[in-house]
Amino acid sequence: MKTFSELNLIAPVLRALADENYDTPTPIQAQTIPAALRGRDVLGCAQTGTGKTAAFALPILNKLGKQSRKATANSPYALVLSPTRELAIQIGESFSTYGKHLHLRQAVVYGGVHQRKQVRDLNRGAHLLIATPGRLLDLMNQGHLQLNQLKFFVLDEADRMLDMGFLPDLRRIIGQLPEQRQSLFFSATLPSSIVSLSRSLLHNPVSITVTPSASHVEKIEQRIMFVERGAKKALLRKILAGEDIQRALVFTKTKRTANVLEKQLVRNGFKAAAIHGDKSQNARQRVLQSFRSKKIQVLVATDVAARGIDIDRITHVVNFDMPIEPESYVHRIGRTGRAGAAGVALSLCCPDEHRELRLIERLIGRKVPVDNDHPQPTSQHRDPASPRRPRRRGAPKPRPSSKRAVTAGFVDDPSTDSVPERAPHGKRQTRRKGARNKQRAKRSK
Ligand code: AMP
């Protein structure tokens, strides 16, 4: 395996990496950095936790550091687009860390806050701009920003951007990019919509895929705990009190469950807080900061709010609710075990969540070890939607919609809200589906 010193990086960048104690590039870095330094476009299939931020940040810093050009007002040389404010801020911090011995200026712009400071940073001149799409377009429309000097364009977490309904904004931004530029495109998954977006952006790209599910996720100690839904809260408290937990991230399906858990955990003496889409950007940022500085030990989050969270040394991930989409399992547990560190992922699975577990095991290609060493274990084979369960003779075939209702967690449980938190554009549809399923359940009573 190569070290960073063999990658043709300039001394100030190498010094910053040494300051961070990084000596060996991660696989996405080892493949992306040489290609990007040669000026190639890159299509990278990698998710948060693989070291992809440094994979695009280092070649850009290296090239800008070599050129030593002055920053010009309102016209950056490099633009990184991120789907969320949290990720934009983290990317900005990574650029500051890796570029700390270079004299480059950067601006980070995102919505949900006043634009005054962001406009001032752009007016002063920034070599690098990290932005979320909506605020970027706002600033461009107001004349605070031109992209005509851009040399590098990075689209990070492209699949998340499309999930969140940013495609029209992306198209508008891509339409403003100069022809002569280098583009680096990263996505955790490559569905056809992403491939076609990448084609509109990249010229003869080098394709690089790293498989975190095989390499990164393998290092995480995963356990499944079968438990009744009503016993989950007590089990969570037991886990958090008993395991050697320094920082735990607990995932819930809904915003309401996140709030309920936060209250109960705090009442039971845990240093806990929740983040989800109903909390203001500032409140989310404050909670993340407290989690980073260890003022909070347990962070309860929905999938949407936890996207792209990069916090080192999360020792445990607990799936309080099983994720609806199996890919989310890989994203969730990938929050622990960062950069080679060990991590533990525990999943609390109640009888109506066994189908989700089967889908996860199919995706990761192996069985998750069972840990039933807790006070109220349930059997592993009580999934009412399980196709292995024989149908009584003459009983009606289960309708696909009733299966979907079980899968989506529409159960009569006061501890859960029937609306899983979704990215903004999917919300209305999910609510409609929820209402439909509830009506069907009423009719069938
Ligand atoms: P990322 O996938 O960019 O969010 O990075 C995941 C974590 O890995 C971050 O906390 C980085 O600080 C860390 N990291 C990135 N590259 C390396 C490396 N080559 N060696 C050690 N840690 C790294």
Side-chain angles (χ1 to χ4, degrees), residues 4 22 24-26 29 48-53 98 310 312 338-339:
F4 279 112
Y22 294 1
T24 316
T26 65
Q29 293 163 1
T48 309
T50 54
K52 70 175 162 56
T53 314
Y98 306 139
D310 174 25
D312 285 340
R338 287 295 172 89

Side-chain angles (χ1 to χ4, degrees), residues 164-185:
M164 294 171 81
F166 281 133
L167 187 60
D169 285 356
L170 286 183
R171 291 230 166 92
R172 253 173 258 143
I173 295 166
I174 291 170
Q176 303 273 324
L177 300 176
E179 261 302 300
Q180 285 296 318
R181 59 161 201 268
Q182 185 177 4
S183 304
L184 308 172
F185 184 109

Side-chain angles (χ1 to χ4, degrees), residues 114-130:
H114 206 284
Q115 67 175 42
R116 202 177 309 121
K117 181 183 175 302
Q118 300 176 358
V119 170
R120 205 173 51 224
D121 289 348
L122 291 170
N123 285 340
R124 263 207 320 232
H127 297 84
L128 299 153
L129 174 63
I130 298 111

Side-chain angles (χ1 to χ4, degrees), residues 305-320:
R307 272 174 189 172
I309 288 181
D310 174 25
I311 294 175
D312 285 340
R313 292 183 291 280
I314 291 177
T315 52
H316 291 69
V317 166
V318 183
N319 292 315
F320 182 82

